[in-house]
Amino acid sequence: MKYFFVDESGDHNLLPGKVDPTFPLFVLTGIIIEKREHQKAYKLMVKLKKKIFNNEKVVLHSLELTRTNKAKQEEFRILANKDIRANFYFELNELLKACNFSITLFAINKPWYAKQFPISPPDPYFLSFSSILDYFEQQLGKREQGEIFAEQRNKILDKQFLLAWESSIARIGLVTKAQLDRHKLAKPNIVKKSCDLAGLEIADLISYRLSRHIMGKAP
């Protein structure tokens, strides 16, 4: 059994006035991890959170970690201390090295993409999801089962995610229904990001940093 955790950076709005010039990308990232390995990652996350934040229930979220003064979770504000922050990221990197998982992503430069399709451009979310779902299916054994998790956001965005899924099983995407059935890949789980799902936390952390890398920003 392999889990597939999906997270995004940026949004998929292509309207010129709606594209943030400081973050013109839409990046959809998928983390592929075996069930047992995910259990290991969860235990390591609990240990790290207790050590740094003295609270195993905090949820690692890139936006809060990088803007600690605006963090909703007060525990993150200690990261304003450069020594504590450096130690946290060192420990986090060691944790990720200790876990065995694969990464797949699809990145779209929205201003460039919009110019290629001035009329009715293919939906960026569907295009991205179709691609990373295809990669996930390829990583599954012949009869191995898979399960998909995505972070709950709002009704509109969650509906768009499910439409991308339904388009995939309708054979508009790259994966056939027979392939999905073979791996018992059912409707994705749309869940709130929580301390119980280390895979969603890892997907969030990696998606944000891959986005910075693609834009040529400092690590």
Side-chain angles (χ1 to χ4, degrees):
M1 164 70 84
K2 284 190 176 76
Y3 291 151
F4 191 43
F5 294 97
V6 179
D7 197 43
E8 66 193 65
S9 290
D11 61 67
H12 53 285
N13 196 324
L14 297 175
L15 296 175
K18 297 292 185 179
V19 176
D20 181 355
T22 66
F23 201 103
L25 300 181
F26 173 69
V27 179
L28 195 63
T29 302
I31 299 298
I32 304 168
I33 187 169
E34 291 187 356
K35 184 177 180 179
R36 287 186 180 180
E37 196 68 19
H38 184 257
Q39 293 170 342
K40 172 185 170 182
Y42 166 73
K43 291 177 181 178
L44 291 174
M45 279 287 196
V46 168
K47 185 177 179 181
L48 173 64
K49 292 171 183 178
K50 283 182 177 179
K51 181 177 180 179
I52 303 294
F53 304 111
N54 195 33
N55 184 354
E56 65 185 74
K57 298 297 184 182
V58 296
V59 180
L60 301 185
H61 189 274
S62 290
L63 189 61
E64 290 189 86
L65 293 174
T66 53
R67 301 177 184 176
T68 54
N69 62 322
K70 297 182 180 179
K72 294 180 181 178
Q73 300 174 88
E74 292 185 2
E75 290 86 351
F76 291 155
R77 292 175 188 174
I78 64 170
L79 297 180
N81 181 300
K82 66 177 183 179
D83 294 327
I84 295 176
R85 183 171 67 250
N87 183 50
F88 165 69
Y89 279 114
F90 173 80
E91 296 276 0
L92 180 59
N93 283 333
E94 292 300 302
L95 182 156
L96 296 176
K97 289 177 186 177
C99 298
N100 184 22
F101 59 88
S102 300
I103 304 169
T104 178
L105 80 151
F106 197 96
I108 294 177
N109 181 314
K110 294 188 292 183
W112 175 87
Y113 184 73
K115 288 179 182 178
Q116 312 311 306
F117 305 96
I119 301 175
S120 301
D123 179 72
Y125 205 111
F126 166 69
L127 187 65
S128 305
F129 181 71
S130 178
S131 176
I132 67 172
L133 177 63
D134 178 51
Y135 183 83
F136 176 49
E137 192 277 332
Q138 293 178 42
Q139 305 312 303
L140 294 170
K142 191 172 182 180
R143 294 290 175 184
E144 186 177 19
Q145 294 183 27
E147 192 167 0
I148 303 170
F149 295 86
E151 181 186 2
Q152 184 182 78
R153 297 158 298 165
N154 60 51
K155 289 183 178 180
I156 294 175
L157 294 177
D158 291 346
K159 184 177 181 180
Q160 288 175 336
F161 178 79
L162 291 176
L163 284 174
W165 163 259
E166 289 167 4
S167 296
S168 296
I169 64 177
R171 197 57 187 103
I172 301 174
L174 301 172
V175 181
T176 66
K177 188 176 185 304
Q179 289 172 307
L180 296 173
D181 291 342
R182 184 185 308 140
H183 302 296
K184 291 184 168 51
L185 275 169
K187 184 177 178 180
N189 302 290
I190 298 182
V191 295
K192 288 184 178 181
K193 190 172 289 181
S194 75
C195 58
D196 297 323
L197 288 173
L200 277 181
E201 293 178 285
I202 292 173
D204 175 286
L205 296 168
I206 288 178
S207 185
Y208 176 71
R209 277 147 186 84
L210 284 173
S211 301
R212 289 183 60 84
H213 175 74
I214 293 168
M215 290 188 289
K217 294 187 176 183

